[in-house]
Amino acid sequence: RRKRPDLRKIFEAIIPKVEPFFQKGTGINGGTTEYWAARVIHENNPELTHHDVKVLVDAAARYYRERVPA
């Protein structure tokens, strides 16, 4: 499951940076802001592949969904 410990370190660092994109009511015209979270992750970690960024965005979305009740 956690075959990439490097992504785990990056995840822990980016969580505070992407929090605003996952707060309730921050969607744009009812849409999600995961695109913008991915931009922040990639800008802070340009060495990551598109797939790595997607993995981190999905993990961040799960992280906030599990911690903030709907």
Side-chain angles (χ1 to χ4, degrees), residues 29-45:
N29 292 329
T32 65
T33 55
E34 291 181 6
Y35 168 79
W36 299 107
R39 293 280 309 257
V40 168
I41 292 169
H42 189 269
E43 286 173 4
N44 284 277
N45 302 281

Side-chain angles (χ1 to χ4, degrees), residues 4-32:
R4 300 278 310 274
D6 58 320
L7 287 185
R8 183 65 185 170
K9 283 185 177 184
I10 293 170
F11 175 80
E12 291 171 2
I14 60 104
I15 277 296
K17 294 177 183 174
V18 298
E19 181 177 7
F21 302 110
F22 294 102
Q23 291 176 342
K24 189 174 182 174
T26 58
I28 300 170
N29 292 329
T32 65

Side-chain angles (χ1 to χ4, degrees), residues 1 3-4 7 38 41-42 45 47-59:
R1 180 175 158 164
K3 298 177 183 176
R4 300 278 310 274
L7 287 185
I41 292 169
H42 189 269
N45 302 281
E47 73 281 1
L48 294 178
T49 65
H50 176 74
H51 180 263
D52 292 341
V53 172
K54 173 92 171 94
V55 166
L56 289 169
V57 169
D58 290 346

